[in-house]
Amino acid sequence: EAQVTQNPRYLITVTGKKLTVTCSQNMNHEYMSWYRQDPGLGLRQIYYSMNVEVTDKGDVPEGYKVSRKEKRNFPLILESPSPNQTSLYFCASSLDRINTGELFFGEGSRLTVL
Amino acid sequence: GENVEQHPSTLSVQEGDSAVIKCTYSDSASNYFPWYKQELGKRPQLIIDIRSNVGEKKDQRIAVTLNKTAKHFSLHITETQPEDSAVYFCAASLYSSASKIIFGSGTRLSIRP
């Protein structure tokens, strides 16, 4: 089954404790991205990646890191989480950004930082 | 950079009536405009998209119109049904580049029985 898988789905952590949210897709998609969803603000792009070893900042990259060492994986790293990073996070992938635009989203990861 | 504004933030319509959600964008270079539907507790899913070389696109009860001159695009849902209740997001991007995609703030659509 074609899918984008995120883990963990739910996480409660404390300020400053490093965490990683994993994202994996099995569709051989080139493009992957991370979004955070907050009430009234819609989906805001954190980082995106056009292909392996190619990443770029979205609109709200502060406090986050990403890596793209393999085509299928695009982890989101919070080196020192803060309460303002409490949010619902979505990973998404697309075949490529040239020929097709549809984004396939993961199920979301709800993060709470105390 | 691109900015997308979406209105209204909430919309309640009687079942069977039509619903219209409007978005405006700021970057005249944007040429791809998708709409995503997010049901409660679920992930966003693409329902329709339009590219700048057409003015309207339909898919059954859903249609999207684009006015490039005015830089706005709209989602039209006719004969609304309970399963249309969801949050809808518009978005804009520059299709043929290593682009960011900018989403609107979302519209929560409720269908009254």
Side-chain angles (χ1 to χ4, degrees):
Chain A
E1 179 187 356
Q3 59 187 1
V4 179
T5 304
Q6 297 178 224
N7 280 295
R9 296 285 316 282
Y10 303 91
L11 179 63
I12 300 174
T13 190
V14 295
T15 299
K17 186 176 181 180
K18 180 180 178 179
L19 69 91
T20 299
V21 186
T22 64
C23 175
S24 180
Q25 50 91 7
N26 63 359
M27 295 171 280
N28 201 36
H29 284 174
E30 292 184 353
Y31 180 92
M32 297 185 75
S33 60
W34 277 101
Y35 300 86
R36 59 178 289 173
Q37 183 176 10
D38 301 289
L41 297 177
L43 293 157
R44 292 182 294 168
Q45 192 172 41
I46 303 170
Y47 270 94
Y48 63 96
S49 170
M50 292 294 292
N51 213 326
V52 176
E53 301 293 359
V54 180
T55 64
D56 208 347
K57 295 178 181 179
D59 286 323
V60 288
E62 295 78 18
Y64 304 95
K65 288 175 58 178
V66 293
S67 68
R68 188 88 181 275
K69 298 178 182 177
E70 305 166 284
K71 197 171 187 179
R72 63 183 293 128
N73 296 323
F74 190 45
L76 179 69
I77 304 158
L78 285 72
E79 292 274 3
S80 182
S82 61
N84 64 12
Q85 293 178 299
T86 292
S87 187
L88 177 60
Y89 291 87
F90 285 100
C91 178
S93 71
S94 180
L95 182 60
D96 61 64
R97 289 295 292 145
I98 304 300
N99 296 308
T100 179
E102 181 174 5
L103 287 169
F104 293 86
F105 286 85
E107 292 184 321
S109 296
R110 186 167 293 280
L111 171 65
T112 301
V113 183
L114 301 175
Chain B
E2 177 65 279
N3 182 51
V4 177
E5 293 191 358
Q6 183 172 348
H7 300 281
S9 57
T10 59
L11 179 61
S12 178
V13 301
Q14 194 76 32
E15 183 177 349
D17 288 349
S18 296
V20 180
I21 302 170
K22 299 181 179 180
C23 290
T24 60
Y25 61 99
S26 60
D27 189 347
S28 56
S30 291
N31 56 9
Y32 175 65
F33 308 93
W35 286 87
Y36 286 81
K37 175 183 180 182
Q38 185 181 27
E39 297 178 357
L40 188 63
K42 300 286 185 64
R43 72 191 84 189
Q45 292 187 293
L46 181 72
I47 55 171
I48 195 167
D49 57 12
I50 191 168
R51 296 186 176 87
S52 59
N53 57 344
V54 298
E56 183 175 5
K57 184 177 179 180
K58 287 184 179 179
D59 184 2
Q60 299 182 344
R61 295 186 298 107
I62 293 173
V64 57
T65 58
L66 171 66
N67 183 328
K68 286 201 69 181
T69 302
K71 290 190 284 187
H72 67 71
F73 56 112
S74 300
L75 178 71
H76 304 254
I77 306 174
T78 59
E79 300 173 15
T80 53
Q81 300 171 5
E83 55 264 36
D84 295 329
S85 293
V87 178
Y88 292 81
F89 294 100
C90 63
S93 75
L94 184 56
Y95 189 65
S96 59
S97 73
S99 63
K100 302 176 186 180
I101 180 167
I102 306 299
F103 285 86
S105 55
T107 296
R108 183 174 299 280
L109 174 63
S110 301
I111 308 301
R112 302 191 304 270

